[in-house]
Amino acid sequence: MKSYDCIIVGSGISAFQLAKHLDKNKQVLIITKLTKEKNNSFKAQGGIAAAMSNDDDWRLHYEDTIQAGCSFQKAQEVEALVKNGPALIQSLIDEGVPFDLNEEGDIRFGMEGAHSRKRIVHSGGDATGKNVMAHLQTTTNDNIEVIENQFVYECIMSPTSNRCIGIRSKSQEGKNYQYFAQSIVLATGGMGGLYKSTSNESSITGDGLALAYRAGAELVDLEFVQFHPTLLHVNGACKGLISEAVRGAGAVLYKGNGERLMGNEPPFFDLAPRHIVAKSIYEARTSGSEVFLDISMIQDFSTKFPTIASLCEENGISINEGAIPVIPGAHFLMGGISVNANGETTVKGLFAVGEAAATGVHGANRLASNSLLEGLYYGKKIAQYLNELSDEGAQEFIEVRTKESVEILELPTKKEIQDKMLHNCGIVRTQVQLENVSKWLEKYAVAHESLASYQTPQIERLFMLQVAKLIVTAALTREESRGAHQRADFLETSNEWQDIHMIQSKKGIEKRALYEQSQVEVNA
């Protein structure tokens, strides 16, 4: 048994930003399912949004974020996020992160969907996530221990205080471990791996959501799953992400018959909010048309987008021909583990940060390049909060629970779960589809008191089934179309749902108002 001041589950940008800003006298553990490079932050091709240019302002960034999220955010959190963006970027610049510059030696700002200004900063063209993560990982303090290739399968709860006091994990060889800490932070990312087509690292399957749910924490707004419009599609399979920055550089979507997909009239074109573009591609493909991204107008494409160029060439798509076949894929979860402004969940001692957390900044649809910004902002903010927390008393230790004989439930394969979710709870949903997959998932709704005797692949699938059931239930309950949640059997946004959020916890699933959306005065 080992004890720490803080345990961080996950290894993305929010995890390392949090660890970096914790006091150096704190003993910190970062524990991750695979290696520390196997996360969505490391794969992020897009940049970081920040209102830093001369013709930009935080108020414009705020307005774009609110509009893209269909006015479903915690306005005060959005304001804080966008106000802090420039300072967060400047701190990375001061520390030596090589952001891309223009001919005059100033930061080059790119354009992405639903932004009213060029405000996206990149590093290495389409390698922003890789470069920022490399910086954070190589500048960690000596008080930070990193354990790789251990799957965290349980939050340890105190039987006396109902507080989260540690975690249980399993090595790839099946050996069980347990670690204790004053604060446990879930930074496990989203759940894109629940779907057949996804931009996510394959190991991102909603583990943190399942861990929090099993610990008794509330989850919120799980119906809002963003599908990125442009994933490389070759021989019937998704091969990787084609960043929105490509469309920001001028690329255009076309149907197989040569007709422009998004039309020629303002205000949106090809840089509409992601749910609009993804739905348009979905509808075109449903009607039998392939969709291509025309990049012929982008000079020096391989220099500007080296990662994407290599991805295309590796899969037999010639950049010189200028047409990239694309398909939408699961990309980002706007909902997640319900947290307050300091990352605290509804379970004492348990925190969440990054995509796993529902901070309220994304609403019903995330604005492009706000995700890395969210990780940087809340990672630092939660660290500052934890630094000020007092020691809450003696550390508790609990022996790991195992059973001599456990009846192992026969589970569907990972691919079966992914197929069911894509076809029944994907870009466009109906009540019939959702009810069908809900009934299928109910067959596996078995309570598991202890997972110590299970192997990692089985636990991962149990977690996937649990999270899938929660998402489907939320999607069934929201009888409207809003942002990334598109119900074909209901009209667009209804006022009745304006401030109502779906709460899901082990206590039951209910509708209730979480907060009254505050109004932030925005001056022109």
Side-chain angles (χ1 to χ4, degrees):
M1 298 181 189
K2 295 192 68 174
S3 180
Y4 300 84
D5 294 293
C6 181
I7 294 174
I8 304 169
V9 185
S11 60
I13 192 168
S14 61
F16 273 89
Q17 175 79 336
L18 170 62
K20 174 182 177 179
H21 287 90
L22 286 169
D23 288 342
K24 293 183 180 180
N25 63 351
K26 290 184 179 292
Q27 294 304 304
V28 180
L29 171 64
I30 292 176
I31 184 167
T32 188
K33 188 175 182 179
L34 297 177
T35 68
K36 61 184 179 181
E37 290 79 26
K38 293 291 185 179
N39 55 69
N40 286 343
S41 298
F42 213 90
K43 292 182 66 174
Q45 295 175 357
I48 308 172
M52 299 179 71
S53 67
N54 293 333
D55 69 340
D56 204 356
D57 185 86
W58 71 265
R59 296 170 182 82
L60 297 174
H61 190 182
Y62 170 88
E63 288 177 344
D64 292 344
T65 301
I66 293 292
Q67 185 174 13
C70 303
S71 300
F72 204 66
Q73 291 98 330
K74 293 180 180 178
Q76 68 275 18
E77 293 300 313
V78 177
E79 180 181 356
L81 177 75
V82 299
K83 278 184 173 179
N84 279 277
L88 288 165
I89 297 300
Q90 189 59 53
S91 67
L92 291 176
I93 294 172
D94 295 342
E95 293 169 10
V97 176
F99 287 104
D100 298 343
L101 307 178
N102 58 25
E103 293 76 10
E104 289 75 34
D106 300 319
I107 292 180
R108 177 185 291 121
F109 297 101
M111 175 69 81
E112 291 187 10
H115 286 271
S116 60
R117 295 288 190 277
K118 289 185 176 182
R119 66 167 63 97
I120 316 301
V121 299
H122 293 88
S123 177
D126 54 9
T128 307
K130 179 180 179 181
N131 288 347
V132 173
M133 285 302 301
H135 168 75
L136 291 175
Q137 291 178 356
T138 56
T139 56
T140 55
N141 300 318
D142 293 338
N143 62 314
I144 300 169
E145 179 183 353
V146 178
I147 296 179
E148 299 178 299
N149 298 307
Q150 283 194 26
F151 181 83
V152 176
Y153 65 86
E154 189 172 32
C155 291
I156 302 174
M157 303 298 296
S158 166
T160 57
S161 64
N162 200 34
R163 174 187 177 89
C164 184
I165 58 173
I167 51 111
R168 293 191 174 101
S169 65
K170 190 181 291 286
S171 69
Q172 293 183 338
E173 295 74 31
K175 184 177 179 180
N176 290 302
Y177 296 85
Q178 55 184 7
Y179 307 93
F180 296 88
Q182 290 292 335
S183 303
I184 310 297
V185 185
L186 299 177
T188 52
M191 35 53 67
L194 285 183
Y195 290 86
K196 178 182 178 182
S197 299
T198 180
S199 63
N200 286 196
E201 165 64 40
S202 61
S203 63
I204 307 299
T205 51
D207 301 334
L209 307 179
L211 286 168
Y213 182 80
R214 286 172 58 85
E218 290 184 347
L219 278 64
V220 63
D221 298 339
L222 298 182
E223 65 271 32
F224 296 119
V225 179
Q226 182 183 85
F227 282 73
H228 197 288
T230 53
L231 275 60
L232 178 62
H233 189 238
V234 181
N235 297 326
C238 168
K239 298 296 184 178
L241 180 68
I242 306 298
S243 171
E244 195 162 287
V246 176
R247 279 174 284 137
V252 177
L253 290 162
Y254 282 93
K255 297 180 183 179
N257 62 6
E259 178 184 351
R260 187 167 176 176
L261 178 72
M262 299 305 295
N264 297 286
E265 298 296 328
F268 290 135
F269 296 115
D270 297 83
L271 289 175
R274 286 175 175 171
H275 68 282
I276 294 175
V277 182
K279 185 179 180 183
S280 296
I281 296 176
Y282 167 83
E283 291 173 343
R285 289 182 54 79
T286 300
S287 65
S289 175
E290 295 293 319
V291 176
F292 297 88
L293 188 63
D294 178 12
I295 61 170
S296 60
M297 73 294 295
I298 303 177
Q299 296 182 354
D300 301 320
F301 185 90
S302 295
T303 301
K304 294 176 180 176
F305 302 103
T307 305
I308 297 171
S310 296
L311 176 68
C312 290
E313 295 295 342
E314 289 169 4
N315 288 280
I317 302 300
S318 173
I319 294 299
N320 295 329
E321 293 182 7
I324 301 175
V326 294
I327 187 174
H331 187 59
F332 194 89
L333 176 66
M334 275 69 69
I337 305 164
S338 182
V339 296
N340 64 14
N342 294 314
E344 294 175 295
T345 73
T346 55
V347 171
K348 195 173 182 181
L350 184 64
F351 297 74
V353 67
E355 190 177 347
T359 60
V361 296
H362 301 306
N365 185 41
R366 174 174 67 81
L367 180 67
S369 288
N370 270 357
S371 56
L372 293 181
L373 177 63
E374 178 191 26
L376 291 170
Y377 172 63
Y378 284 102
K380 181 177 180 180
K381 184 177 183 182
I382 294 172
Q384 293 170 337
Y385 179 73
L386 293 177
N387 287 337
E388 297 173 359
L389 281 183
S390 61
D391 190 334
E392 298 206 10
Q395 180 70 65
E396 295 183 63
F397 296 96
I398 300 174
E399 291 291 342
V400 64
R401 299 187 303 270
T402 59
K403 293 183 178 181
E404 292 294 330
S405 177
V406 177
E407 182 180 353
I408 305 297
L409 181 69
E410 185 176 346
L411 300 173
T413 65
K414 192 171 181 177
K415 183 179 182 301
E416 284 180 289
I417 301 170
Q418 293 169 330
D419 286 342
K420 288 284 187 181
M421 287 298 287
L422 184 63
H423 295 135
N424 295 283
C425 191
I427 297 172
V428 178
R429 299 108 178 240
T430 67
Q431 182 170 341
V432 172
Q433 290 174 315
L434 293 169
E435 288 179 344
N436 285 341
V437 70
S438 181
K439 290 177 182 177
W440 180 77
L441 289 165
E442 283 174 4
K443 295 187 296 183
Y444 308 101
V446 178
H448 296 275
E449 295 302 321
S450 174
L451 297 177
S453 298
Y454 283 75
Q455 297 302 310
T456 296
Q458 295 167 322
I459 300 173
E460 181 181 65
R461 281 180 284 157
L462 284 169
F463 281 4
M464 289 176 69
L465 290 163
Q466 178 68 80
V467 175
K469 178 64 174 176
L470 294 171
I471 292 172
V472 170
T473 301
L476 267 170
T477 307
R478 184 171 293 284
E479 297 179 344
E480 64 159 356
S481 288
R482 184 189 292 273
H485 174 64
Q486 295 292 310
R487 287 286 298 265
D489 43 2
F490 286 94
L491 297 175
E492 293 295 324
T493 303
S494 61
N495 291 332
E496 178 186 355
W497 280 92
Q498 181 67 27
D499 295 320
I500 304 299
H501 293 247
M502 288 304 305
I503 298 293
Q504 292 172 291
S505 71
K506 295 181 78 172
K507 300 173 185 175
I509 298 170
E510 58 180 317
K511 300 182 209 177
R512 72 170 181 173
L514 277 182
Y515 50 75
E516 291 185 5
Q517 185 176 340
S518 62
Q519 298 296 315
V520 175
E521 184 176 353
V522 179
N523 298 321

